Amino acid sequence: METTLVLLKPDCVAGRKVGEVIRRFEEADFQIRGCKMFTLGGELLKEHYGHLVEKSFFPELAAFMQSTPVVALALAGDHAVERVRVLIGPTDSKKADKGTVRGDFGVDVMVNIVHASDSNENAALELKRFFAPGELFDYAMRYTTTPAS
Ligand code: UDP
Ligand code: MG
């Protein structure tokens, strides 16, 4: 079992795809251990996209990421880091297969619906970045979810 960090980006939130994208993660057997909505502050964004701060597109990326609140999810499951990356598809939405989150809903290489951690090391850092210890939950199924009729 691993936990990975997902951000539902402004095009997901403003485009009302939050429910559909979370549905896909739950359908794929991931459990939500944490969930919160907030606007990304400039410092947090620079930390999160530290590997891109020097790129010419960073100001545009920052404006996009701060254009609406985002939703952060902590998702737990078997090989969560790799499997979530497979579910969302490659960075460039135009190159992403249909059936992947980015392939179905993303626009281009920047406006691509979701962020997901790309390694176990980064998942640990990113979970810490976006969730305080008390905001991550461990729980088990104790009631049946099969409707009576
Ligand atoms: N991005 C961009 N232009 C690029 C590469 C990346 O606008 O040429 C944005 C895009 O939103 C991407 C994010 O920066 O999701 C982080 O880039 P990274 O290479 O880490 O891709 P990811 O891990 O999100 O697939
Ligand atoms: Mg990345």
Side-chain angles (χ1 to χ4, degrees):
M1 276 296 204
E2 293 170 4
T3 303
T4 192
L5 184 279
V6 166
L7 294 178
L8 304 182
K9 296 185 179 186
D11 54 327
C12 183
V13 172
R16 301 183 186 179
K17 294 290 180 272
V18 171
E20 169 61 19
V21 173
I22 292 178
R23 190 195 67 75
R24 290 186 182 201
F25 289 134
E26 289 193 320
E27 193 87 9
D29 232 20
F30 293 106
Q31 186 187 50
I32 299 173
R33 290 191 58 207
C35 180
K36 66 200 282 194
M37 188 178 203
F38 55 93
T39 304
L40 272 166
E43 286 309 307
L44 192 60
L45 188 67
K46 273 188 203 152
E47 192 185 315
H48 183 62
Y49 280 149
H51 61 302
L52 301 174
V53 186
E54 302 302 325
K55 301 277 186 192
S56 59
F57 61 80
F58 185 76
E60 201 190 342
L61 174 62
F64 163 58
M65 290 298 293
Q66 296 181 302
S67 63
T68 75
V70 296
V71 174
L73 301 171
L75 294 181
D78 197 32
H79 296 92
V81 172
E82 191 192 339
R83 285 180 54 230
V84 166
R85 291 285 296 199
V86 170
L87 267 180
I88 69 173
T91 309
D92 188 348
S93 306
K94 289 186 177 133
K95 294 182 181 150
D97 289 337
K98 287 292 165 202
T100 65
V101 170
R102 285 166 165 172
D104 289 346
F105 306 120
V107 172
D108 55 26
V109 71
M110 183 180 81
V111 181
N112 61 2
I113 300 282
V114 280
H115 164 83
S117 308
D118 63 2
S119 67
N120 287 67
E121 194 187 0
N122 281 335
L125 287 171
E126 292 173 1
L127 286 163
K128 224 172 165 175
R129 181 172 300 146
F130 292 105
F131 289 98
E135 294 173 334
L136 290 179
F137 302 90
D138 289 300
Y139 55 94
M141 171 60 67
R142 284 199 270 167
Y143 302 92
T144 177
T145 54
T146 310
S149 56

